[in-house]
């Protein structure tokens, strides 16, 4: 082919081909620059420089390796003393708990370099050492360390499998990126338990001092019991749960007391941890180096982990919607730290999985418990009432509607108590409409029925009120959760307390209509009676706070109206317009007259309202045996609420005449002190 000079023009490089190596020039120029200092030309920003790289490159943010971060190559067979092995095993528990606390595997578990060198410490692949140091025997690495690392990875595997069921959400609740590192997905857990036992036997037969033997065995046995907890089928082996928890707690106490906080500066054990390991792993999360907490905090985290595992055992042994509902709601009402994502996912799976409730009941069981625990009437009794009243063609339809809708509502409702707080709030917002749709369907059908006697008529009315009860309870939780999550601006708080008081008023009216119908010897009657006292106290508190916080409203009415529409969009859904009126209707125009009447009532006393609410709460603190294990949590919740009332009572006006002298800054909303109501500034 003939040479064509114009052909090379397509490959011409700007500046020509005569390049000069300027590396030394840049090296010399950078000597006077500080670390992380950047020189940019005029008009050329750091964003322009970053845009030159491939977008999405996972290692783009890995950063520069500083001189103090450089480490010698890791040798997994470096001999270690028994106390150094114990230190590493303690760090493995800390790393595992940090993953459960929300960090990535690359920031926690994978920072232990033995995880990436498991084949290198397999004794089957190694030549026996002839001159083994008796103080640093190789089997501490190839048997003890290997068994402990395998146990840790298998525990993470069990947790990862549960977490990946989408009961909780990756990135939002937990970090699931494995970075292409094996969690021993194909290894049988019983084999690892056998290896842990074998390692303990080898330690006991060794010539190590007794103190070191006990320390090593305690840590291996702690790992073993944790692994056994993970692999338990709680629906079938709940009895073994308590034994494992007791043993684990005893071992944790022994490990806590024998922990060594620090090692000599030249100890090779420190090289087994690399907080910058994410630089060498394929991952798609921003790389961030984090410090592990003190071991005392790790032990506290494991103890809390065990405590919640015990609560799961109580839940499994409590086939009751009321108890599950109480257990979930008390965590939010007491503003406790949420459980680990693994355990929240496990609770949801145990409640309903593979079309079975608690592994033993068909979904229709939910319908029967729903009615019996809400209004004290069995589903059979309710069906008989419908059959006696409805035309023959509607009997099957009504039963289908009840079972299908209630099951569809109850499963996610119970599970939502183990969502993270924002997701739970969003779910309850949607649920308010679903409950009202169920009420509307029942109302339309019942309107066509002709009860043959007053007793049947009472049952049909009670069924309608049941759907109202659950809708109003969901509405209450949505409004209160806004305070807990600090969503309300100061001028929104009086309106939130006002609307909540209206919800509570309708809820109390609904309970008053049900109590004469509910059999007095049922848990439903005792629960409704308790809720009547509880909600009355809440309404008194809310009404008093409306008068005290009215001074927060400083914006124009138009601004307040727009905020109200956005904040309560869950009750302004257009679907409500197609249904029966959902009391209380969110009418903001009803707020100013109520507020004006309240402020002009010279005889109204906020302090007296708080005192009355406190008296009601103290009277309600009787044994709550119908909610089982969570009765003590209820009593604590009432105690906290009564304490807030007592503080507010002593610091608020005794009449509205004194309101102008009240300083609004006295009230402080601190969720850690109380999630919903203010406390008094000391």
């Amino acid at each position: 082919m003939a040479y064509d000079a114009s052909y090379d023009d397509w490959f011409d490089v700007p500046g020509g081909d005569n390049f000069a190596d300027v590396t030394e020039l840049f090296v010399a120029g950078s000597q006077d620059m500080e670390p992380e200092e950047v020189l940019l030309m005029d008009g050329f920003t750091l964003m322009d420089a970053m845009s030159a790289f491939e977008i999405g490159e996972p290692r783009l943010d890995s950063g520069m390796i500083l001189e103090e971060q450089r480490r010698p190559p890791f040798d997994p067979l470096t001999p270690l003393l028994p106390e150094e092995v114990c230190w590493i095993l303690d760090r493995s528990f800390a790393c595992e708990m940090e993953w459960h606390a929300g960090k990535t595997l690359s920031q926690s578990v994978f920072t232990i370099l033995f995880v990436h060198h498991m084949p290198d410490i397999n004794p089957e692949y190694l030549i026996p050492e002839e001159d083994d140091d008796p103080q640093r025997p190789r089997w501490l690495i190839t048997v003890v360390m290997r068994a402990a690392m395998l146990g840790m990875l298998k525990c993470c595997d069990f947790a990862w499998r549960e977490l990946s069921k989408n009961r909780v959400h990756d990135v939002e609740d937990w970090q699931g990126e494995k970075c292409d590192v094996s969690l021993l997905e194909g290894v049988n857990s019983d084999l690892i338990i056998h290896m842990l036992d074998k390692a303990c036997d080898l330690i006991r037969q060794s010539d190590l001092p007794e103190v070191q033997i006990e320390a090593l065995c305690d840590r291996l046995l702690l790992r073993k019991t944790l692994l056994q907890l993970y692999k338990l089928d709680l629906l079938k082996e709940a009895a073994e749960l308590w034994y494992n928890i007791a043993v684990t707690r005893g071992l944790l106490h022994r490990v806590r007391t024998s922990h060594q906080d620090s090692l000599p500066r030249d100890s090779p054990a420190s090289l087994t941890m690399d907080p910058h390991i994410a630089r060498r792993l394929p991952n798609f999360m921003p790389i961030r180096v984090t410090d592990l907490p003190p071991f005392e905090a790790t032990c506290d985290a494991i103890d809390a982990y065990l405590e919640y595992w015990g609560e799961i055992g109580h839940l499994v042994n409590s086939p009751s919607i009321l108890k599950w509902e109480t257990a979930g709601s008390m965590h939010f009402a007491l503003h406790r730290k949420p459980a680990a994502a693994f355990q929240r996912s496990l609770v949801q799976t145990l409640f309903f999985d593979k079309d079975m409730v608690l592994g033993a009941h068909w979904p229709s069981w939910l319908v029967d418990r729903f009615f019996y625990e809400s209004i004290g009437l069995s589903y059979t009794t309710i069906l008989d009432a419908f059959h006696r009243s409805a035309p023959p063609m509607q009997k099957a339809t009504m039963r289908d509607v009840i079972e299908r809708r209630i099951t569809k509502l109850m499963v996610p409702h119970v599970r939502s108590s183990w969502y993270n707080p924002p997701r739970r709030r969003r779910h309850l917002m949607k649920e308010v409409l679903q409950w009202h749709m169920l009420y509307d369907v029942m109302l339309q059908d019942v309107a066509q029925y002709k009860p043959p006697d007053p007793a049947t008529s009472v049952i049909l009315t009670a069924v309608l009120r049941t759907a109202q009860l659950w809708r109003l309870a969901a509405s209450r939780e949505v409004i209160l959760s806004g305070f807990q999550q600090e969503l309300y601006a100061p001028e929104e708080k009086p309106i939130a307390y006002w609307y909540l008081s209206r919800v509570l008023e309708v809820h109390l009216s609904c309970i008053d209509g049900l109590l004469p119908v509910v059999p007095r010897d049922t848990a439903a009657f005792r629960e409704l009676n308790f809720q009547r006292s509880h909600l009355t106290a809440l309404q008194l508190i809310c009404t008093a706070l409306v008068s005290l916080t009215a001074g927060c409203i400083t914006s124009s009415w138009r601004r307040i109206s727009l905020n109200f529409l956005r904040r309560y969009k869950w009750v302004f859904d257009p679907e409500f317009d197609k249904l029966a009126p959902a009391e209380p209707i969110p009418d903001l125009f009803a707020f100013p007259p109520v507020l004006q009447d309240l402020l002009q009532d010279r005889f109204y006393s906020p302090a007296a309202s708080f005192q009355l609410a406190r008296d009601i709460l103290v009277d309600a603190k009787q044994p709550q045996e119908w909610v089982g294990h969570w009765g003590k949590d209820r009593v604590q919740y009432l105690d906290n609420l009564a304490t807030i009332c007592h503080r507010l009572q002593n610091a608020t006006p005794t009449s509205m005449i004194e309101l102008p002298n009240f300083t609004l800054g006295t009230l402080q909303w601190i969720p850690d002190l109380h999630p919903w109501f203010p406390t008094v500034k000391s």
Side-chain angles (χ1 to χ4, degrees), residues 516-585:
V517 183
V518 180
R520 301 179 68 87
D521 60 343
T522 60
F525 181 84
R526 293 191 286 272
E527 178 66 14
L528 288 173
N529 207 34
F530 165 78
Q531 290 296 344
R532 182 170 61 175
S533 300
H534 168 229
L535 299 181
T536 300
L538 287 183
Q539 188 182 31
L540 287 168
I541 297 171
C542 291
T543 304
L545 287 173
V546 170
S547 65
L548 295 175
T549 58
C552 293
I553 302 176
T554 57
S555 299
S556 66
W557 182 254
R558 176 175 174 77
R559 179 75 266 166
I560 293 171
S561 301
L562 292 175
N563 287 345
F564 186 79
L565 289 173
R566 280 195 292 267
R567 182 66 68 195
Y568 299 94
K569 59 186 177 182
W570 48 278
V571 284
F572 287 109
D573 193 305
E575 291 295 322
F576 279 104
D577 298 335
K578 306 174 186 178
L579 309 173
E583 295 291 341
I585 296 173

Side-chain angles (χ1 to χ4, degrees), residues 152-259:
M152 178 188 67
L153 290 174
K154 196 60 186 179
C155 286
C156 294
D157 176 44
F158 276 122
W160 196 95
R161 293 186 194 190
E162 175 58 48
L163 288 163
S164 62
K165 292 179 180 178
N166 291 326
R167 313 281 191 231
V168 291
H169 298 267
D170 192 5
V171 179
E172 184 176 319
D173 293 295
W174 68 294
Q175 304 292 340
E177 177 58 50
K178 292 184 180 181
C179 305
D180 292 343
V181 177
S182 171
L183 292 181
L184 309 182
E185 294 84 351
V187 179
N188 189 293
S189 58
D190 291 332
L191 174 62
I192 297 176
I193 290 174
H194 174 70
M195 294 174 67
L196 289 165
D197 286 334
K198 188 176 179 180
C200 286
D201 291 339
L202 181 58
I203 294 171
R204 294 189 183 103
Q205 295 169 9
S206 69
D207 296 329
L208 296 176
E210 188 65 27
V211 173
Q212 295 178 349
I213 290 176
E214 291 182 358
L216 288 169
C217 287
D218 286 344
R219 285 155 176 79
L220 292 180
L221 291 174
L222 178 58
R223 174 56 64 193
K224 174 187 171 182
T225 55
L226 283 175
L227 182 54
Q228 288 173 327
L229 279 172
Y230 277 106
K231 72 186 293 288
L232 273 181
D233 184 349
L234 294 179
L235 293 173
K236 299 177 181 178
E237 304 171 305
E240 296 183 26
L241 174 67
W242 310 110
Y243 172 77
N244 282 339
I245 290 176
V247 172
T248 307
R249 278 212 170 101
L251 291 168
L252 180 63
H253 176 71
R254 291 168 62 90
V255 170
R256 190 195 293 254
T257 55
S258 65
H259 171 71

Side-chain angles (χ1 to χ4, degrees), residues 403-423:
E403 291 187 1
R404 183 162 40 84
R405 284 184 177 267
I406 291 177
T407 302
K408 188 177 179 180
L409 277 166
M410 286 309 302
V411 171
H413 174 81
V414 174
R415 282 178 168 177
S416 69
S417 294
W418 285 271
Y419 295 169
N420 62 58
R423 188 167 289 275

Side-chain angles (χ1 to χ4, degrees), residues 127-133 138:
I127 300 174
E129 276 194 335
E130 296 182 359
D131 300 327
D132 204 8
D133 186 347
R138 176 184 276 189

Side-chain angles (χ1 to χ4, degrees), residues 20 64 78 88 90 164 181 241 267 321 346 360 413 453 474 484 551 628-629:
M64 178 178 64
T78 301
I88 296 170
D90 289 348
S164 62
V181 177
L241 174 67
S267 171
I321 291 176
L346 180 61
H413 174 81
D453 50 66
Q484 193 162 5
H629 174 74

Side-chain angles (χ1 to χ4, degrees), residues 324-555:
W324 279 70
E325 170 78 6
T326 304
S329 62
M330 281 298 101
H331 279 281
F332 293 97
L334 295 173
H335 199 64
R336 288 175 175 164
K337 182 180 178 181
F342 161 73
Q343 292 175 320
R344 290 191 284 115
S345 177
L346 180 61
V347 170
Q348 297 177 52
T349 299
L350 291 171
F351 180 72
F352 188 84
D353 189 38
K354 299 177 182 178
D355 296 327
M356 296 294 288
V357 183
L358 294 174
H361 308 285
W362 294 107
S364 57
W365 176 86
L366 279 174
V367 182
D368 184 71
R369 301 309 302 177
F370 169 77
F371 284 112
Y372 184 72
E373 297 182 32
S374 297
I375 56 176
L377 300 175
S378 68
Y379 187 40
T380 303
T381 302
I382 292 170
L383 283 180
D384 289 342
F386 278 121
H387 290 170
R388 291 196 303 269
S389 308
M393 294 298 293
Q394 295 188 9
K395 291 180 182 178
T397 303
M398 189 61 203
R399 179 170 182 171
D400 178 66
V401 168
I402 288 176
E403 291 187 1
R404 183 162 40 84
R405 284 184 177 267
I406 291 177
T407 302
K408 188 177 179 180
L409 277 166
M410 286 309 302
V411 171
H413 174 81
V414 174
R415 282 178 168 177
S416 69
S417 294
W418 285 271
Y419 295 169
N420 62 58
R423 188 167 289 275
R424 174 180 180 258
R425 187 172 192 270
R426 292 193 294 270
H427 172 79
L428 291 175
M429 287 179 177
K430 299 174 184 177
E431 194 177 276
V432 170
L433 175 60
Q434 298 299 319
W435 283 118
H436 195 59
M437 291 174 68
L438 174 63
Y439 169 79
D440 188 74
V441 169
M442 290 181 174
L443 183 64
Q444 293 179 20
D445 285 338
V446 170
Q448 304 174 21
Y449 293 172
K450 297 180 180 179
D453 50 66
T456 304
S457 177
V458 166
I459 291 175
L460 299 186
T461 304
V463 169
L464 294 177
R465 291 182 185 273
T466 306
Q468 280 186 305
L469 277 178
W470 287 80
R471 173 179 65 84
L472 293 165
S475 299
R476 180 184 77 243
E477 289 297 315
V478 171
I479 300 171
L480 289 174
S481 65
F483 288 99
Q484 193 162 5
Q485 296 172 40
E486 302 181 82
L487 301 180
Y488 299 126
E491 63 183 16
E492 290 183 286
K493 290 175 181 177
I495 297 175
Y497 285 128
W498 162 75
Y499 187 59
L500 177 57
S501 68
R502 293 193 62 199
V503 170
L504 295 171
E505 181 180 358
V506 177
H507 200 161
L508 285 167
S509 176
C510 187
I511 291 175
D512 289 339
L514 275 173
L515 276 173
V517 183
V518 180
R520 301 179 68 87
D521 60 343
T522 60
F525 181 84
R526 293 191 286 272
E527 178 66 14
L528 288 173
N529 207 34
F530 165 78
Q531 290 296 344
R532 182 170 61 175
S533 300
H534 168 229
L535 299 181
T536 300
L538 287 183
Q539 188 182 31
L540 287 168
I541 297 171
C542 291
T543 304
L545 287 173
V546 170
S547 65
L548 295 175
T549 58
C552 293
I553 302 176
T554 57
S555 299

